[in-house]
Amino acid sequence: MAKILRARAAHDEKEERWVRKMAASRHGPADWIFHAKIVARSWDSARVETIAKELDCSPQTVRRRLHRFDAEGIEGLGDRPKAGRPRRLTTEDDSRILALARSTPPGKLERLSDGGLDVRDEQGAAQWSLDALAQAAKEAGIQVKRSQIRRICRREGVRWRRTHSWGSSDDKNFVPKG
């Protein structure tokens, strides 16, 4: 006959109150909330298969989490640090790169109020490319390669390339075909 697995009883009333509060929480780390729900349902005498079905996970996940809670207590509710190298760029760096991609390139001609044309940097890129963005980021003090800039822009949905001239029209009477 299969052994029924349950989470160990709470050490004190404070621990039980904290786990149940975390399980009912809507704001907090998602992994802590999910794992607290597993423990709380186990305390409510739910079986592993029932908990897995209610929380839409595998029974093995429930078993693993109950064993980890038994061994580590409340600290066992959180996920362990992920393997691999931590991010080198901060979210602030990401924001600066995205702002750079949305800005006007330094070599692009700009029309002045009197109708003349002016350019900030004659040697600069007229439109953003990954190489031009990498160079501008380097000048701004962010050490990043073009592949990372591409990943950041794609993740956030920012276009760094100019659309083709035939892709749109400035004509007010323009109607696309088909």
Side-chain angles (χ1 to χ4, degrees):
M1 185 168 180
K3 180 180 169 186
I4 297 176
L5 179 63
R6 300 219 190 285
R8 67 157 171 78
H11 286 308
D12 55 6
E13 185 180 313
K14 183 179 176 184
E15 183 182 54
E16 182 175 0
R17 189 174 54 242
W18 191 91
V19 170
R20 291 195 183 275
K21 184 177 179 182
M22 182 58 74
S25 175
R26 298 185 78 198
H27 303 287
D31 57 333
W32 287 74
I33 293 170
F34 181 73
H35 302 146
K37 286 179 182 179
I38 291 173
V39 172
R41 284 191 171 81
S42 175
W43 284 343
D44 296 337
S45 301
R47 297 186 80 151
V48 169
E49 290 76 17
T50 308
I51 296 170
K53 193 175 282 184
E54 287 176 6
L55 298 178
D56 193 30
C57 66
S58 74
Q60 184 59 36
T61 301
V62 175
R63 285 187 202 96
R64 225 180 263 134
R65 286 299 161 179
L66 291 177
H67 283 297
R68 186 147 172 233
F69 178 77
D70 289 348
E72 299 178 26
I74 288 178
E75 292 302 315
L77 295 178
D79 283 338
R80 291 192 174 119
K82 303 287 186 235
R85 182 178 181 204
R87 287 199 64 190
R88 194 176 51 76
L89 294 176
T90 63
T91 53
E92 181 182 320
D93 291 336
D94 289 355
S95 297
R96 289 172 55 199
I97 289 169
L98 293 171
L100 195 61
R102 288 186 177 118
S103 68
T104 305
K108 184 174 183 177
L109 288 173
E110 295 183 58
R111 189 160 302 277
L112 301 174
S113 59
D114 65 354
L117 294 174
D118 188 33
V119 64
R120 280 190 295 163
D121 180 12
E122 290 183 15
Q123 303 300 324
Q127 61 185 11
W128 286 125
S129 66
L130 290 175
D131 290 327
L133 281 170
Q135 182 62 33
K138 183 178 178 183
E139 291 168 2
I142 305 170
Q143 293 299 319
V144 65
K145 292 186 177 179
R146 65 190 304 273
S147 59
Q148 184 68 20
I149 291 175
R150 182 176 184 273
R151 270 187 240 121
I152 292 168
C153 289
R154 293 213 40 204
R155 183 180 61 230
E156 298 297 327
V158 174
R159 291 189 56 86
W160 65 90
R161 297 172 279 200
R162 193 180 75 195
T163 56
H164 297 291
S165 60
W166 43 265
S168 62
S169 175
D170 295 334
D171 185 11
K172 63 182 178 180
N173 296 325
F174 175 74
V175 178
K177 293 182 181 178

